Amino acid sequence: MDLSRITFPTFVLEPRSFTERVTDFIASKSDDPVQRFVGVVKYYMSGWHIHPRGVKKPYNPILGEFFRSQYEFDDASGAYFVAEQVSHHPPITAMFYHSPEHRIAIEGDLRPLSRFQGNSVGMLLGGYAKIHFLDRPGEIYEVTYPNMYARGILFGKMVLELGEMSTVTCKHNDLVFEVEFKTKGILWGAYNQIAGKIRRISTNETLFEISGNWQTAMYITDKRTSSAKPEVLFDSSSEHVVPQHVACASEQEPNESRNLWKHVTKAIRENNLNAATTQKSAIEEQQREHVKEREAQGTRFEPRFFQLEIDGNYHPKLVINDIPKEPEAAKQRVSQWIFAKPDGSMQDMDRSEDDPVVLATPHKR
């Protein structure tokens, strides 16, 4: 059954919108292209372990909903992020990330398609992602996603699994990473296992093998050396997630994720599922009314930050190659594009939270 037109029950919702959750996926400066590729693979694989406890589905974003944030890293550099729901049927979330100091830009869109599979729900993750090393013309890393499965939705233990193949490809440097996310068998196997290889596209030569558990620790072995032993590629116990800086709800627009869903989030944190369902239904009903208005007026929805281009993908309206090279100029250009309000003023990122709904919302447990 195709679930793209069916909303999930409130109890399996994570108190975040999917437009915000894609920030869980946000390199190496080596002059060696192989080492840069390994750095990108580590970056990509490390993002999958970041998810809420249990099996929780983020809210279904409404058309035109968006989420924006900024990061401050330990080396005093920073980054900017924006995601927007650019299509509702089918659901498509477009995203953009840029670090001015590191001269890295990431663009992409996610096109999830959900299906019932007996005691499981599968989410097939279509779409694309491209990582641009802006100081290295032509060096673009193309990413495809694995699929997600929520097991035990009717009976048994509820668990989240990733399955099938995923790839990272850099044609410019003749390199590809192919990894299988292995699902646990009914009678044997273990959860969260992966097996992958980095190889040259032209010769099919295997350079590295990667194995382990995508939720805890992964290991890399250099196959170019017969005596090489596995080394730690990523260990989630020794890593930390860089916090996002998001404007308070009072500074956010009505269709900005945390402001839009604040009543639902409050109800979920209070374990008041009836109130959460009521608030969630009100948002969805408002979206249906907006659809009727556009149909009556003969207009179409126009995304704010992204546009559909001839390749069939959504790209940022801010042209990546036009971003200034100088970090301060890039910061000004990108932050103005992301954080400007409709009246031309900028979000006040330093304003303290004063929204009564947010202040009354229990903290995460």
Side-chain angles (χ1 to χ4, degrees), residues 285-320:
E285 179 59 32
Q286 184 182 50
Q287 177 169 245
R288 286 188 282 269
E289 290 300 318
H290 289 328
V291 171
K292 293 178 182 178
E293 290 175 5
R294 285 193 296 271
E295 290 177 346
Q297 297 169 0
T299 60
R300 300 181 64 180
F301 169 74
E302 176 69 25
R304 174 168 169 177
F305 297 99
F306 300 88
Q307 59 190 8
L308 184 63
E309 297 190 3
I310 194 170
D311 62 356
N313 296 321
Y314 282 89
H315 298 269
K317 292 182 177 180
L318 176 67
V319 179
I320 290 176

Side-chain angles (χ1 to χ4, degrees), residues 270-288:
E270 294 173 339
N271 291 318
N272 189 339
L273 300 187
N274 289 333
T277 299
T278 298
Q279 294 291 345
K280 175 172 168 284
S281 298
I283 293 172
E284 292 163 350
E285 179 59 32
Q286 184 182 50
Q287 177 169 245
R288 286 188 282 269

Side-chain angles (χ1 to χ4, degrees), residues 46-63:
S46 68
W48 292 109
H49 84 284
I50 308 170
H51 61 81
R53 294 180 180 179
V55 178
K56 298 293 183 180
K57 177 186 179 297
Y59 311 142
N60 290 330
I62 67 168
L63 188 63

Side-chain angles (χ1 to χ4, degrees), residues 97-338:
Y97 166 97
H98 177 60
S99 176
E101 291 88 354
H102 296 287
R103 295 281 292 155
I104 292 174
I106 303 173
E107 61 170 329
D109 64 43
L110 286 171
R111 307 184 182 213
L113 177 64
S114 300
R115 297 185 184 277
F116 275 125
Q117 297 176 328
N119 193 35
S120 303
V121 172
M123 181 174 286
L124 312 182
L125 294 181
Y128 83 101
K130 290 183 178 180
I131 303 171
H132 300 256
F133 281 22
L134 300 180
D135 282 338
R136 300 181 184 275
E139 189 162 322
I140 299 173
Y141 299 79
E142 300 179 35
V143 177
T144 64
Y145 311 109
N147 297 321
M148 288 185 173
Y149 299 95
R151 312 291 193 190
I153 61 171
L154 300 179
F155 55 87
K157 180 182 178 181
M158 294 185 71
V159 296
L160 174 70
E161 285 195 286
L162 300 179
E164 286 80 52
M165 299 296 297
S166 176
T167 62
V168 178
T169 305
C170 181
K171 296 178 182 177
H172 183 78
N173 290 332
D174 192 36
L175 294 167
V176 63
F177 171 59
E178 297 168 321
V179 58
E180 179 186 5
F181 289 82
K182 299 181 178 182
T183 57
K184 184 182 180 299
I186 297 177
L187 301 177
W188 59 84
Y191 287 113
N192 309 328
Q193 299 300 300
I194 60 105
K197 295 181 179 180
I198 295 175
R199 62 178 178 82
R200 293 207 176 275
I201 299 172
S202 59
T203 65
N204 207 34
E205 175 193 4
T206 297
L207 306 180
F208 298 91
E209 289 185 348
I210 296 175
S211 60
N213 184 307
W214 57 262
Q215 199 171 53
T216 56
M218 291 171 280
Y219 303 88
I220 184 168
T221 305
D222 190 341
K223 302 304 291 183
R224 299 170 296 181
T225 305
S226 59
S227 60
K229 296 181 179 180
E231 298 179 358
V232 175
L233 176 72
F234 174 77
D235 182 352
S236 63
S237 66
S238 62
E239 299 285 338
H240 73 281
V241 179
V242 177
Q244 302 173 75
H245 189 190
V246 182
C248 68
S250 300
E251 282 291 314
Q252 294 185 18
E253 296 176 36
N255 58 332
E256 203 157 346
S257 291
R258 292 190 182 179
N259 192 33
L260 174 69
W261 295 98
K262 62 187 177 184
H263 292 282
V264 182
T265 298
K266 179 175 181 291
I268 290 176
R269 296 268 177 83
E270 294 173 339
N271 291 318
N272 189 339
L273 300 187
N274 289 333
T277 299
T278 298
Q279 294 291 345
K280 175 172 168 284
S281 298
I283 293 172
E284 292 163 350
E285 179 59 32
Q286 184 182 50
Q287 177 169 245
R288 286 188 282 269
E289 290 300 318
H290 289 328
V291 171
K292 293 178 182 178
E293 290 175 5
R294 285 193 296 271
E295 290 177 346
Q297 297 169 0
T299 60
R300 300 181 64 180
F301 169 74
E302 176 69 25
R304 174 168 169 177
F305 297 99
F306 300 88
Q307 59 190 8
L308 184 63
E309 297 190 3
I310 194 170
D311 62 356
N313 296 321
Y314 282 89
H315 298 269
K317 292 182 177 180
L318 176 67
V319 179
I320 290 176
N321 289 334
D322 289 347
I323 297 174
K325 185 174 182 178
E326 200 278 318
E328 289 303 319
K331 288 180 184 179
Q332 183 175 359
R333 181 79 169 274
V334 175
S335 63
Q336 177 69 35
W337 177 65
I338 292 178

